Each structure stands twice: as structure tokens, then as C-alpha cells.
Amino acid sequence: MSRPEALVHSGGDVLAAAVAARLITAITDAQAARGSASVVLTGGRTGIGVLEQVRRSPALGAVDWSAVDFFWGDERFLPGGDGERNETQARQALLDHVDVDPARVHAMAPSDGEFGDDADAAAAGYAELLASLAPEGAAVPSFDVLMLGVGEEGHTASLFPDTPYVRESGKTVVGVHDCPKPPPTRVSLTLPAIGAASQVWLMTTGKAKAEPVAAALNGAKPVDIPAAGAFGRNRTLWLLDADAAAELG
Ligand code: 6PG
């Protein structure tokens, strides 16, 4: 588990562009080392903004997009193609604009997919997929980069404070119900699954996030501030704009 590092950028646009550059570099480094890369995407304004900046990057062509495995840290449990799904927004922002290998885009099931409207079954199905792609003895792949947003009350992925989901220590993927952030039903990686990633990047902007960011970086319990429980094996980065970092001191 790596010690969290905070990197502060002047504003949201600079942050998104800087994270986009960091992501392209991380992917190209992984591909140079072993011919492929594994990235976990997130939803929300910041996460999708980063993908839009990647699409606009002059370095876009540096990546072999057909040799990237894409996963999601969480998904809004809605019908396929729904504009609010993280997958839909990621495709619109980047994936539909680069030469991805469809077999390597591992979306979480929609609410009208093979598991029907059963989010718990969809979560179990995604856990099985992750296990099938994991190295020997592991439950999930060793993700190169796992990106996360942070909510105003400290949620990350779809893990909200004081819920059974943030406390989950056995499962790698859970169906989330009665979520305070709409839609109410979601599918989410758990903190143990998040912790399998080599690098975890928590990225957020704005004054409303300053309090949970400071709490998380000052030792808050994950049950109170779920983002406080997100660590990468080799690196944990908090990628912030000045407003979100305002209470760090
Ligand atoms: C989602 C996201 C969620 C998001 C945070 C931050 O499905 O909504 O996965 O965890 O990243 O709520 O969202 P913003 O970046 O828009 O503040």
C-alpha cells in the first residue's frame, strides 16, 4: 500500500489535461514493458473530462488503443446506451474515437442485459470476469491505472459512507442499492479490488470537495470517507485543483 501524494494544479481544465497526459504516458510505458495496458475508468465530470482531454491530445496516436484493456470502477445500473451510464459517456468522450479492441472493453452489465435488472447478479458476473482475467491466485487483474472521482461526502466509485458496500472485504464487486447519488442502483468495485491496482489516481476539483479531500489525507476512516480507503500497490495520487486542495494546509 503506497503513501498518498497530492499534486495540485491551478484549475480544473489544467488538471484534466495534466491527468490526460499522465494517462497516455502510463499506458505507453505499460505497453513498452509488456505490450498491453490495463486501465479502470471512472464516471463523473472529472473522470469524463480527462477522457475528453485524452481525445484532444496531440499524443493520442502514441497509444496502441487496440492493446488496452478497459474496465470500470463503477457503473450506474441503467439500460444499455443510457446517456447517464459511465460506459456511454466514456465511449462518447474517447472510446468511440480510437481503435479499441471491442473484446478488451469490459463494461459492467446494463440493467437490460444478460442479468436483467438484478444488480447483484450483474456485480457477481463482473467479479467472475475480473477473476477470469486475473493472474494466478489473484481475484482481479493487476490494473496499471485505476482512476476514481471523489464525492462531496467522500464517496468514491459507488462506495458511500457508512454503507455495507464500503465495509465489504470479501467480494471484489458489489451491487449498490439506495445510492444517495442518482441513480440509486449501481455496480461498484470494492476497496479490496481497488487496492489491487498498481496506481490509484483520485482526481477531483472544486471547493465542495476540499473538506473530504483534507479529511481523507488526514487519516479519516474509509467507513466515514470511502476515498480514504483507496490506495494503489505502488502509487496513490490525489490529483487536485487549487480549490479542492484548499484545506490541505
Ligand atoms: C459516478 C462516479 C462517481 C464520481 C464522483 C465524482 O458514477 O458518479 O463514479 O464516483 O466519480 O461522484 O463526480 P464529479 O467528478 O462529477 O464530482
Side-chain angles (χ1 to χ4, degrees), residues 41-48 72-76 84-86 147-153 155-160 181-183 186-188 203-205 209:
L41 305 178
T42 188
R45 187 173 33 87
T46 311
I48 297 303
W72 273 264
D74 70 328
E75 185 56 274
R76 299 140 184 215
E84 282 304 301
R85 269 178 62 86
N86 293 336
M147 294 186 284
L148 292 169
V150 180
E152 294 182 15
E153 76 300 278
H155 81 258
T156 197
S158 289
L159 305 176
F160 283 75
K181 178 178 180 182
R186 290 159 169 255
V187 177
S188 181
M203 47 202 191
T204 198
T205 63
K209 309 296 180 73

PDB file of all heavy atoms in Angstrom, residues 41-48 72-76 84-86 147-153 155-160 181-183 186-188 203-205 209, ligand 1:
ATOM      1  N   LEU A  41     -11.653   2.916 -15.640  1.00  0.00           N
ATOM      2  CA  LEU A  41     -12.221   4.245 -15.845  1.00  0.00           C
ATOM      3  C   LEU A  41     -13.225   4.577 -14.742  1.00  0.00           C
ATOM      4  O   LEU A  41     -13.747   3.691 -14.068  1.00  0.00           O
ATOM      5  CB  LEU A  41     -12.914   4.306 -17.218  1.00  0.00           C
ATOM      6  CG  LEU A  41     -12.061   3.919 -18.436  1.00  0.00           C
ATOM      7  CD1 LEU A  41     -12.902   3.992 -19.712  1.00  0.00           C
ATOM      8  CD2 LEU A  41     -10.823   4.788 -18.537  1.00  0.00           C
ATOM      9  N   THR A  42     -13.500   5.857 -14.608  1.00  0.00           N
ATOM     10  CA  THR A  42     -14.498   6.285 -13.641  1.00  0.00           C
ATOM     11  C   THR A  42     -15.492   7.208 -14.303  1.00  0.00           C
ATOM     12  O   THR A  42     -15.241   7.733 -15.402  1.00  0.00           O
ATOM     13  CB  THR A  42     -13.855   7.016 -12.432  1.00  0.00           C
ATOM     14  OG1 THR A  42     -14.864   7.249 -11.434  1.00  0.00           O
ATOM     15  CG2 THR A  42     -13.241   8.355 -12.838  1.00  0.00           C
ATOM     16  N   GLY A  43     -16.609   7.410 -13.658  1.00  0.00           N
ATOM     17  CA  GLY A  43     -17.613   8.353 -14.161  1.00  0.00           C
ATOM     18  C   GLY A  43     -17.471   9.688 -13.476  1.00  0.00           C
ATOM     19  O   GLY A  43     -16.496   9.943 -12.767  1.00  0.00           O
ATOM     20  N   GLY A  44     -18.440  10.548 -13.727  1.00  0.00           N
ATOM     21  CA  GLY A  44     -18.420  11.877 -13.114  1.00  0.00           C
ATOM     22  C   GLY A  44     -17.735  12.888 -14.015  1.00  0.00           C
ATOM     23  O   GLY A  44     -17.018  12.542 -14.965  1.00  0.00           O
ATOM     24  N   ARG A  45     -17.956  14.121 -13.694  1.00  0.00           N
ATOM     25  CA  ARG A  45     -17.480  15.246 -14.519  1.00  0.00           C
ATOM     26  C   ARG A  45     -15.965  15.181 -14.706  1.00  0.00           C
ATOM     27  O   ARG A  45     -15.443  15.308 -15.815  1.00  0.00           O
ATOM     28  CB  ARG A  45     -17.898  16.538 -13.805  1.00  0.00           C
ATOM     29  CG  ARG A  45     -17.705  17.827 -14.474  1.00  0.00           C
ATOM     30  CD  ARG A  45     -18.360  18.949 -13.622  1.00  0.00           C
ATOM     31  NE  ARG A  45     -18.303  18.694 -12.189  1.00  0.00           N
ATOM     32  CZ  ARG A  45     -17.279  19.024 -11.389  1.00  0.00           C
ATOM     33  NH1 ARG A  45     -16.211  19.560 -11.932  1.00  0.00           N
ATOM     34  NH2 ARG A  45     -17.309  18.776 -10.094  1.00  0.00           N
ATOM     35  N   THR A  46     -15.243  14.974 -13.623  1.00  0.00           N
ATOM     36  CA  THR A  46     -13.779  14.990 -13.707  1.00  0.00           C
ATOM     37  C   THR A  46     -13.274  13.805 -14.533  1.00  0.00           C
ATOM     38  O   THR A  46     -12.466  13.971 -15.451  1.00  0.00           O
ATOM     39  CB  THR A  46     -13.165  14.969 -12.294  1.00  0.00           C
ATOM     40  OG1 THR A  46     -13.805  15.964 -11.493  1.00  0.00           O
ATOM     41  CG2 THR A  46     -11.670  15.189 -12.348  1.00  0.00           C
ATOM     42  N   GLY A  47     -13.761  12.618 -14.225  1.00  0.00           N
ATOM     43  CA  GLY A  47     -13.295  11.423 -14.931  1.00  0.00           C
ATOM     44  C   GLY A  47     -13.570  11.482 -16.418  1.00  0.00           C
ATOM     45  O   GLY A  47     -12.701  11.137 -17.233  1.00  0.00           O
ATOM     46  N   ILE A  48     -14.736  11.923 -16.799  1.00  0.00           N
ATOM     47  CA  ILE A  48     -15.071  12.015 -18.223  1.00  0.00           C
ATOM     48  C   ILE A  48     -14.314  13.165 -18.868  1.00  0.00           C
ATOM     49  O   ILE A  48     -13.844  13.065 -20.023  1.00  0.00           O
ATOM     50  CB  ILE A  48     -16.588  12.171 -18.416  1.00  0.00           C
ATOM     51  CG1 ILE A  48     -17.319  10.923 -17.874  1.00  0.00           C
ATOM     52  CG2 ILE A  48     -16.951  12.398 -19.891  1.00  0.00           C
ATOM     53  CD1 ILE A  48     -16.919   9.595 -18.473  1.00  0.00           C
ATOM     54  N   TRP A  72     -14.280  -0.662 -15.644  1.00  0.00           N
ATOM     55  CA  TRP A  72     -14.912   0.452 -14.929  1.00  0.00           C
ATOM     56  C   TRP A  72     -14.864   0.214 -13.426  1.00  0.00           C
ATOM     57  O   TRP A  72     -14.992  -0.924 -12.970  1.00  0.00           O
ATOM     58  CB  TRP A  72     -16.367   0.625 -15.386  1.00  0.00           C
ATOM     59  CG  TRP A  72     -16.462   1.510 -16.599  1.00  0.00           C
ATOM     60  CD1 TRP A  72     -16.720   2.858 -16.637  1.00  0.00           C
ATOM     61  CD2 TRP A  72     -16.269   1.116 -17.965  1.00  0.00           C
ATOM     62  NE1 TRP A  72     -16.708   3.313 -17.943  1.00  0.00           N
ATOM     63  CE2 TRP A  72     -16.424   2.279 -18.765  1.00  0.00           C
ATOM     64  CE3 TRP A  72     -15.968  -0.104 -18.601  1.00  0.00           C
ATOM     65  CZ2 TRP A  72     -16.303   2.251 -20.155  1.00  0.00           C
ATOM     66  CZ3 TRP A  72     -15.846  -0.122 -19.994  1.00  0.00           C
ATOM     67  CH2 TRP A  72     -16.013   1.029 -20.754  1.00  0.00           C
ATOM     68  N   GLY A  73     -14.637   1.289 -12.693  1.00  0.00           N
ATOM     69  CA  GLY A  73     -14.643   1.194 -11.229  1.00  0.00           C
ATOM     70  C   GLY A  73     -16.055   1.132 -10.686  1.00  0.00           C
ATOM     71  O   GLY A  73     -16.311   0.566  -9.621  1.00  0.00           O
ATOM     72  N   ASP A  74     -16.983   1.733 -11.426  1.00  0.00           N
ATOM     73  CA  ASP A  74     -18.386   1.634 -11.049  1.00  0.00           C
ATOM     74  C   ASP A  74     -19.249   1.972 -12.255  1.00  0.00           C
ATOM     75  O   ASP A  74     -18.762   2.502 -13.266  1.00  0.00           O
ATOM     76  CB  ASP A  74     -18.735   2.529  -9.862  1.00  0.00           C
ATOM     77  CG  ASP A  74     -18.723   4.012 -10.176  1.00  0.00           C
ATOM     78  OD1 ASP A  74     -17.932   4.430 -11.034  1.00  0.00           O
ATOM     79  OD2 ASP A  74     -19.513   4.739  -9.573  1.00  0.00           O
ATOM     80  N   GLU A  75     -20.488   1.636 -12.155  1.00  0.00           N
ATOM     81  CA  GLU A  75     -21.421   1.901 -13.255  1.00  0.00           C
ATOM     82  C   GLU A  75     -22.805   2.191 -12.691  1.00  0.00           C
ATOM     83  O   GLU A  75     -23.211   1.594 -11.692  1.00  0.00           O
ATOM     84  CB  GLU A  75     -21.468   0.716 -14.202  1.00  0.00           C
ATOM     85  CG  GLU A  75     -22.333   0.949 -15.459  1.00  0.00           C
ATOM     86  CD  GLU A  75     -21.911   2.161 -16.261  1.00  0.00           C
ATOM     87  OE1 GLU A  75     -22.351   3.276 -15.956  1.00  0.00           O
ATOM     88  OE2 GLU A  75     -21.114   1.976 -17.201  1.00  0.00           O
ATOM     89  N   ARG A  76     -23.449   3.081 -13.339  1.00  0.00           N
ATOM     90  CA  ARG A  76     -24.843   3.370 -12.983  1.00  0.00           C
ATOM     91  C   ARG A  76     -25.707   2.303 -13.644  1.00  0.00           C
ATOM     92  O   ARG A  76     -25.635   2.101 -14.859  1.00  0.00           O
ATOM     93  CB  ARG A  76     -25.177   4.768 -13.465  1.00  0.00           C
ATOM     94  CG  ARG A  76     -24.288   5.831 -12.797  1.00  0.00           C
ATOM     95  CD  ARG A  76     -23.863   6.906 -13.781  1.00  0.00           C
ATOM     96  NE  ARG A  76     -22.952   7.863 -13.164  1.00  0.00           N
ATOM     97  CZ  ARG A  76     -22.919   9.161 -13.454  1.00  0.00           C
ATOM     98  NH1 ARG A  76     -23.751   9.641 -14.347  1.00  0.00           N
ATOM     99  NH2 ARG A  76     -22.066   9.966 -12.854  1.00  0.00           N
ATOM    100  N   GLU A  84     -26.727   8.378 -19.142  1.00  0.00           N
ATOM    101  CA  GLU A  84     -26.179   8.566 -17.801  1.00  0.00           C
ATOM    102  C   GLU A  84     -25.193   7.458 -17.420  1.00  0.00           C
ATOM    103  O   GLU A  84     -24.534   7.541 -16.386  1.00  0.00           O
ATOM    104  CB  GLU A  84     -27.309   8.624 -16.768  1.00  0.00           C
ATOM    105  CG  GLU A  84     -28.023   9.985 -16.744  1.00  0.00           C
ATOM    106  CD  GLU A  84     -27.036  11.132 -16.505  1.00  0.00           C
ATOM    107  OE1 GLU A  84     -26.358  11.123 -15.459  1.00  0.00           O
ATOM    108  OE2 GLU A  84     -26.906  11.996 -17.400  1.00  0.00           O
ATOM    109  N   ARG A  85     -25.122   6.406 -18.241  1.00  0.00           N
ATOM    110  CA  ARG A  85     -24.169   5.329 -17.904  1.00  0.00           C
ATOM    111  C   ARG A  85     -22.743   5.825 -18.074  1.00  0.00           C
ATOM    112  O   ARG A  85     -22.415   6.561 -19.032  1.00  0.00           O
ATOM    113  CB  ARG A  85     -24.399   4.111 -18.823  1.00  0.00           C
ATOM    114  CG  ARG A  85     -25.389   3.111 -18.233  1.00  0.00           C
ATOM    115  CD  ARG A  85     -25.655   1.953 -19.164  1.00  0.00           C
ATOM    116  NE  ARG A  85     -24.480   1.144 -19.465  1.00  0.00           N
ATOM    117  CZ  ARG A  85     -24.036   0.122 -18.711  1.00  0.00           C
ATOM    118  NH1 ARG A  85     -24.628  -0.134 -17.549  1.00  0.00           N
ATOM    119  NH2 ARG A  85     -23.002  -0.612 -19.078  1.00  0.00           N
ATOM    120  N   ASN A  86     -21.860   5.413 -17.187  1.00  0.00           N
ATOM    121  CA  ASN A  86     -20.442   5.795 -17.300  1.00  0.00           C
ATOM    122  C   ASN A  86     -19.841   5.260 -18.589  1.00  0.00           C
ATOM    123  O   ASN A  86     -19.017   5.907 -19.232  1.00  0.00           O
ATOM    124  CB  ASN A  86     -19.663   5.300 -16.085  1.00  0.00           C
ATOM    125  CG  ASN A  86     -20.075   6.013 -14.806  1.00  0.00           C
ATOM    126  OD1 ASN A  86     -20.578   7.130 -14.851  1.00  0.00           O
ATOM    127  ND2 ASN A  86     -19.893   5.362 -13.667  1.00  0.00           N
ATOM    128  N   MET A 147      -8.581   4.894 -12.038  1.00  0.00           N
ATOM    129  CA  MET A 147      -8.979   6.276 -11.790  1.00  0.00           C
ATOM    130  C   MET A 147     -10.278   6.328 -10.989  1.00  0.00           C
ATOM    131  O   MET A 147     -11.169   5.499 -11.185  1.00  0.00           O
ATOM    132  CB  MET A 147      -9.147   7.017 -13.129  1.00  0.00           C
ATOM    133  CG  MET A 147      -7.823   7.165 -13.869  1.00  0.00           C
ATOM    134  SD  MET A 147      -7.953   8.180 -15.350  1.00  0.00           S
ATOM    135  CE  MET A 147      -8.757   7.004 -16.449  1.00  0.00           C
ATOM    136  N   LEU A 148     -10.347   7.314 -10.114  1.00  0.00           N
ATOM    137  CA  LEU A 148     -11.509   7.473  -9.240  1.00  0.00           C
ATOM    138  C   LEU A 148     -11.859   8.946  -9.115  1.00  0.00           C
ATOM    139  O   LEU A 148     -10.968   9.801  -9.117  1.00  0.00           O
ATOM    140  CB  LEU A 148     -11.212   6.935  -7.832  1.00  0.00           C
ATOM    141  CG  LEU A 148     -11.011   5.427  -7.680  1.00  0.00           C
ATOM    142  CD1 LEU A 148     -10.452   5.127  -6.289  1.00  0.00           C
ATOM    143  CD2 LEU A 148     -12.328   4.678  -7.906  1.00  0.00           C
ATOM    144  N   GLY A 149     -13.162   9.230  -8.971  1.00  0.00           N
ATOM    145  CA  GLY A 149     -13.582  10.559  -8.579  1.00  0.00           C
ATOM    146  C   GLY A 149     -13.815  10.552  -7.072  1.00  0.00           C
ATOM    147  O   GLY A 149     -13.699   9.518  -6.407  1.00  0.00           O
ATOM    148  N   VAL A 150     -14.142  11.726  -6.543  1.00  0.00           N
ATOM    149  CA  VAL A 150     -14.415  11.867  -5.108  1.00  0.00           C
ATOM    150  C   VAL A 150     -15.676  12.710  -4.958  1.00  0.00           C
ATOM    151  O   VAL A 150     -15.809  13.766  -5.580  1.00  0.00           O
ATOM    152  CB  VAL A 150     -13.253  12.562  -4.368  1.00  0.00           C
ATOM    153  CG1 VAL A 150     -13.556  12.712  -2.869  1.00  0.00           C
ATOM    154  CG2 VAL A 150     -11.952  11.782  -4.558  1.00  0.00           C
ATOM    155  N   GLY A 151     -16.598  12.222  -4.147  1.00  0.00           N
ATOM    156  CA  GLY A 151     -17.839  12.967  -3.956  1.00  0.00           C
ATOM    157  C   GLY A 151     -17.767  13.944  -2.789  1.00  0.00           C
ATOM    158  O   GLY A 151     -16.813  13.928  -2.004  1.00  0.00           O
ATOM    159  N   GLU A 152     -18.777  14.792  -2.655  1.00  0.00           N
ATOM    160  CA  GLU A 152     -18.761  15.845  -1.631  1.00  0.00           C
ATOM    161  C   GLU A 152     -18.804  15.283  -0.208  1.00  0.00           C
ATOM    162  O   GLU A 152     -18.377  15.928   0.731  1.00  0.00           O
ATOM    163  CB  GLU A 152     -19.935  16.811  -1.848  1.00  0.00           C
ATOM    164  CG  GLU A 152     -19.808  17.590  -3.151  1.00  0.00           C
ATOM    165  CD  GLU A 152     -20.957  18.583  -3.323  1.00  0.00           C
ATOM    166  OE1 GLU A 152     -21.665  18.868  -2.327  1.00  0.00           O
ATOM    167  OE2 GLU A 152     -21.132  19.063  -4.456  1.00  0.00           O
ATOM    168  N   GLU A 153     -19.300  14.067  -0.092  1.00  0.00           N
ATOM    169  CA  GLU A 153     -19.296  13.457   1.263  1.00  0.00           C
ATOM    170  C   GLU A 153     -18.207  12.386   1.331  1.00  0.00           C
ATOM    171  O   GLU A 153     -18.176  11.571   2.262  1.00  0.00           O
ATOM    172  CB  GLU A 153     -20.687  12.893   1.589  1.00  0.00           C
ATOM    173  CG  GLU A 153     -21.047  11.584   0.915  1.00  0.00           C
ATOM    174  CD  GLU A 153     -21.021  11.669  -0.601  1.00  0.00           C
ATOM    175  OE1 GLU A 153     -22.000  12.137  -1.196  1.00  0.00           O
ATOM    176  OE2 GLU A 153     -19.991  11.267  -1.188  1.00  0.00           O
ATOM    177  N   HIS A 155     -17.474  10.002  -1.014  1.00  0.00           N
ATOM    178  CA  HIS A 155     -17.609   8.714  -1.723  1.00  0.00           C
ATOM    179  C   HIS A 155     -16.593   8.623  -2.850  1.00  0.00           C
ATOM    180  O   HIS A 155     -16.088   9.624  -3.351  1.00  0.00           O
ATOM    181  CB  HIS A 155     -19.041   8.517  -2.227  1.00  0.00           C
ATOM    182  CG  HIS A 155     -19.369   9.224  -3.514  1.00  0.00           C
ATOM    183  ND1 HIS A 155     -20.084  10.402  -3.578  1.00  0.00           N
ATOM    184  CD2 HIS A 155     -19.090   8.895  -4.786  1.00  0.00           C
ATOM    185  CE1 HIS A 155     -20.228  10.768  -4.838  1.00  0.00           C
ATOM    186  NE2 HIS A 155     -19.634   9.878  -5.596  1.00  0.00           N
ATOM    187  N   THR A 156     -16.320   7.371  -3.231  1.00  0.00           N
ATOM    188  CA  THR A 156     -15.508   7.118  -4.411  1.00  0.00           C
ATOM    189  C   THR A 156     -16.038   5.875  -5.096  1.00  0.00           C
ATOM    190  O   THR A 156     -16.619   5.011  -4.412  1.00  0.00           O
ATOM    191  CB  THR A 156     -14.006   6.999  -4.068  1.00  0.00           C
ATOM    192  OG1 THR A 156     -13.227   7.143  -5.255  1.00  0.00           O
ATOM    193  CG2 THR A 156     -13.687   5.697  -3.380  1.00  0.00           C
ATOM    194  N   ALA A 157     -15.891   5.776  -6.395  1.00  0.00           N
ATOM    195  CA  ALA A 157     -16.636   4.784  -7.166  1.00  0.00           C
ATOM    196  C   ALA A 157     -18.100   4.943  -6.755  1.00  0.00           C
ATOM    197  O   ALA A 157     -18.614   6.058  -6.734  1.00  0.00           O
ATOM    198  CB  ALA A 157     -16.054   3.387  -6.984  1.00  0.00           C
ATOM    199  N   SER A 158     -18.745   3.836  -6.370  1.00  0.00           N
ATOM    200  CA  SER A 158     -20.103   3.989  -5.813  1.00  0.00           C
ATOM    201  C   SER A 158     -20.145   3.509  -4.375  1.00  0.00           C
ATOM    202  O   SER A 158     -21.127   2.923  -3.916  1.00  0.00           O
ATOM    203  CB  SER A 158     -21.116   3.223  -6.681  1.00  0.00           C
ATOM    204  OG  SER A 158     -21.294   3.872  -7.929  1.00  0.00           O
ATOM    205  N   LEU A 159     -19.027   3.759  -3.684  1.00  0.00           N
ATOM    206  CA  LEU A 159     -18.910   3.384  -2.264  1.00  0.00           C
ATOM    207  C   LEU A 159     -19.160   4.638  -1.425  1.00  0.00           C
ATOM    208  O   LEU A 159     -18.359   5.570  -1.451  1.00  0.00           O
ATOM    209  CB  LEU A 159     -17.522   2.804  -1.981  1.00  0.00           C
ATOM    210  CG  LEU A 159     -17.107   1.611  -2.863  1.00  0.00           C
ATOM    211  CD1 LEU A 159     -15.678   1.204  -2.556  1.00  0.00           C
ATOM    212  CD2 LEU A 159     -18.066   0.440  -2.690  1.00  0.00           C
ATOM    213  N   PHE A 160     -20.266   4.629  -0.705  1.00  0.00           N
ATOM    214  CA  PHE A 160     -20.669   5.802   0.072  1.00  0.00           C
ATOM    215  C   PHE A 160     -20.458   5.563   1.563  1.00  0.00           C
ATOM    216  O   PHE A 160     -20.346   4.410   1.996  1.00  0.00           O
ATOM    217  CB  PHE A 160     -22.144   6.121  -0.228  1.00  0.00           C
ATOM    218  CG  PHE A 160     -22.326   6.807  -1.556  1.00  0.00           C
ATOM    219  CD1 PHE A 160     -22.217   6.076  -2.735  1.00  0.00           C
ATOM    220  CD2 PHE A 160     -22.552   8.177  -1.634  1.00  0.00           C
ATOM    221  CE1 PHE A 160     -22.355   6.696  -3.969  1.00  0.00           C
ATOM    222  CE2 PHE A 160     -22.697   8.806  -2.869  1.00  0.00           C
ATOM    223  CZ  PHE A 160     -22.596   8.067  -4.034  1.00  0.00           C
ATOM    224  N   LYS A 181     -26.378   9.284  -4.526  1.00  0.00           N
ATOM    225  CA  LYS A 181     -26.175   9.990  -5.796  1.00  0.00           C
ATOM    226  C   LYS A 181     -26.942   9.234  -6.880  1.00  0.00           C
ATOM    227  O   LYS A 181     -26.676   8.062  -7.107  1.00  0.00           O
ATOM    228  CB  LYS A 181     -24.683  10.086  -6.141  1.00  0.00           C
ATOM    229  CG  LYS A 181     -24.440  10.779  -7.489  1.00  0.00           C
ATOM    230  CD  LYS A 181     -22.967  10.937  -7.828  1.00  0.00           C
ATOM    231  CE  LYS A 181     -22.787  11.627  -9.175  1.00  0.00           C
ATOM    232  NZ  LYS A 181     -21.359  11.768  -9.562  1.00  0.00           N
ATOM    233  N   PRO A 182     -27.886   9.854  -7.547  1.00  0.00           N
ATOM    234  CA  PRO A 182     -28.686   9.140  -8.553  1.00  0.00           C
ATOM    235  C   PRO A 182     -27.809   8.634  -9.695  1.00  0.00           C
ATOM    236  O   PRO A 182     -26.771   9.265 -10.007  1.00  0.00           O
ATOM    237  CB  PRO A 182     -29.692  10.200  -9.041  1.00  0.00           C
ATOM    238  CG  PRO A 182     -29.168  11.509  -8.578  1.00  0.00           C
ATOM    239  CD  PRO A 182     -28.241  11.273  -7.451  1.00  0.00           C
ATOM    240  N   PRO A 183     -28.149   7.530 -10.323  1.00  0.00           N
ATOM    241  CA  PRO A 183     -29.295   6.694  -9.975  1.00  0.00           C
ATOM    242  C   PRO A 183     -29.022   5.856  -8.734  1.00  0.00           C
ATOM    243  O   PRO A 183     -27.865   5.582  -8.395  1.00  0.00           O
ATOM    244  CB  PRO A 183     -29.425   5.819 -11.219  1.00  0.00           C
ATOM    245  CG  PRO A 183     -28.024   5.640 -11.699  1.00  0.00           C
ATOM    246  CD  PRO A 183     -27.371   6.983 -11.454  1.00  0.00           C
ATOM    247  N   ARG A 186     -26.486   0.818  -8.502  1.00  0.00           N
ATOM    248  CA  ARG A 186     -25.211   0.851  -9.212  1.00  0.00           C
ATOM    249  C   ARG A 186     -24.478  -0.460  -9.040  1.00  0.00           C
ATOM    250  O   ARG A 186     -24.905  -1.337  -8.292  1.00  0.00           O
ATOM    251  CB  ARG A 186     -24.358   2.001  -8.637  1.00  0.00           C
ATOM    252  CG  ARG A 186     -24.896   3.381  -8.983  1.00  0.00           C
ATOM    253  CD  ARG A 186     -24.374   4.437  -8.029  1.00  0.00           C
ATOM    254  NE  ARG A 186     -24.670   5.791  -8.483  1.00  0.00           N
ATOM    255  CZ  ARG A 186     -23.775   6.611  -9.004  1.00  0.00           C
ATOM    256  NH1 ARG A 186     -22.524   6.203  -9.128  1.00  0.00           N
ATOM    257  NH2 ARG A 186     -24.096   7.829  -9.398  1.00  0.00           N
ATOM    258  N   VAL A 187     -23.362  -0.591  -9.751  1.00  0.00           N
ATOM    259  CA  VAL A 187     -22.434  -1.713  -9.555  1.00  0.00           C
ATOM    260  C   VAL A 187     -21.077  -1.077  -9.278  1.00  0.00           C
ATOM    261  O   VAL A 187     -20.709  -0.080  -9.924  1.00  0.00           O
ATOM    262  CB  VAL A 187     -22.376  -2.607 -10.813  1.00  0.00           C
ATOM    263  CG1 VAL A 187     -21.353  -3.733 -10.633  1.00  0.00           C
ATOM    264  CG2 VAL A 187     -23.753  -3.213 -11.105  1.00  0.00           C
ATOM    265  N   SER A 188     -20.350  -1.598  -8.315  1.00  0.00           N
ATOM    266  CA  SER A 188     -19.094  -0.931  -7.948  1.00  0.00           C
ATOM    267  C   SER A 188     -18.012  -1.925  -7.533  1.00  0.00           C
ATOM    268  O   SER A 188     -18.306  -2.948  -6.897  1.00  0.00           O
ATOM    269  CB  SER A 188     -19.341   0.022  -6.770  1.00  0.00           C
ATOM    270  OG  SER A 188     -18.138   0.708  -6.400  1.00  0.00           O
ATOM    271  N   MET A 203      -9.054  11.894  -8.414  1.00  0.00           N
ATOM    272  CA  MET A 203      -8.972  13.202  -9.044  1.00  0.00           C
ATOM    273  C   MET A 203     -10.287  13.950  -8.874  1.00  0.00           C
ATOM    274  O   MET A 203     -11.370  13.413  -9.098  1.00  0.00           O
ATOM    275  CB  MET A 203      -8.647  13.027 -10.528  1.00  0.00           C
ATOM    276  CG  MET A 203      -9.485  11.993 -11.202  1.00  0.00           C
ATOM    277  SD  MET A 203      -8.635  11.415 -12.684  1.00  0.00           S
ATOM    278  CE  MET A 203      -9.983  10.506 -13.400  1.00  0.00           C
ATOM    279  N   THR A 204     -10.136  15.197  -8.392  1.00  0.00           N
ATOM    280  CA  THR A 204     -11.342  15.976  -8.155  1.00  0.00           C
ATOM    281  C   THR A 204     -11.039  17.456  -8.144  1.00  0.00           C
ATOM    282  O   THR A 204      -9.893  17.877  -7.987  1.00  0.00           O
ATOM    283  CB  THR A 204     -12.052  15.537  -6.857  1.00  0.00           C
ATOM    284  OG1 THR A 204     -13.403  16.018  -6.875  1.00  0.00           O
ATOM    285  CG2 THR A 204     -11.305  16.010  -5.612  1.00  0.00           C
ATOM    286  N   THR A 205     -12.098  18.240  -8.308  1.00  0.00           N
ATOM    287  CA  THR A 205     -11.946  19.705  -8.387  1.00  0.00           C
ATOM    288  C   THR A 205     -13.056  20.376  -7.596  1.00  0.00           C
ATOM    289  O   THR A 205     -14.099  19.759  -7.325  1.00  0.00           O
ATOM    290  CB  THR A 205     -12.069  20.186  -9.846  1.00  0.00           C
ATOM    291  OG1 THR A 205     -13.398  19.863 -10.313  1.00  0.00           O
ATOM    292  CG2 THR A 205     -11.046  19.536 -10.756  1.00  0.00           C
ATOM    293  N   LYS A 209     -15.236  19.901  -2.659  1.00  0.00           N
ATOM    294  CA  LYS A 209     -14.502  18.663  -2.349  1.00  0.00           C
ATOM    295  C   LYS A 209     -13.355  18.897  -1.363  1.00  0.00           C
ATOM    296  O   LYS A 209     -12.675  17.964  -0.953  1.00  0.00           O
ATOM    297  CB  LYS A 209     -13.949  18.069  -3.645  1.00  0.00           C
ATOM    298  CG  LYS A 209     -14.958  17.916  -4.770  1.00  0.00           C
ATOM    299  CD  LYS A 209     -16.068  16.952  -4.433  1.00  0.00           C
ATOM    300  CE  LYS A 209     -17.061  16.831  -5.567  1.00  0.00           C
ATOM    301  NZ  LYS A 209     -16.554  16.086  -6.721  1.00  0.00           N
TER     302      LYS A 209
HETATM  303  C1  6PG B   1     -20.321   8.175 -10.717  1.00  0.00           C
HETATM  304  C2  6PG B   1     -18.855   8.225 -10.360  1.00  0.00           C
HETATM  305  C3  6PG B   1     -18.666   8.912  -9.040  1.00  0.00           C
HETATM  306  C4  6PG B   1     -17.994  10.235  -9.364  1.00  0.00           C
HETATM  307  C5  6PG B   1     -17.975  11.156  -8.180  1.00  0.00           C
HETATM  308  C6  6PG B   1     -17.337  12.500  -8.535  1.00  0.00           C
HETATM  309  O1  6PG B   1     -20.770   7.175 -11.264  1.00  0.00           O
HETATM  310  O2  6PG B   1     -20.986   9.185 -10.465  1.00  0.00           O
HETATM  311  O3  6PG B   1     -18.220   7.073 -10.467  1.00  0.00           O
HETATM  312  O4  6PG B   1     -17.864   8.195  -8.130  1.00  0.00           O
HETATM  313  O5  6PG B   1     -16.666   9.983  -9.814  1.00  0.00           O
HETATM  314  O6  6PG B   1     -19.305  11.351  -7.761  1.00  0.00           O
HETATM  315  O7  6PG B   1     -18.056  13.086  -9.570  1.00  0.00           O
HETATM  316  P1  6PG B   1     -17.643  14.527 -10.122  1.00  0.00           P
HETATM  317  O8  6PG B   1     -16.247  14.372 -10.683  1.00  0.00           O
HETATM  318  O9  6PG B   1     -18.665  14.854 -11.160  1.00  0.00           O
HETATM  319  O10 6PG B   1     -17.664  15.465  -8.940  1.00  0.00           O
END
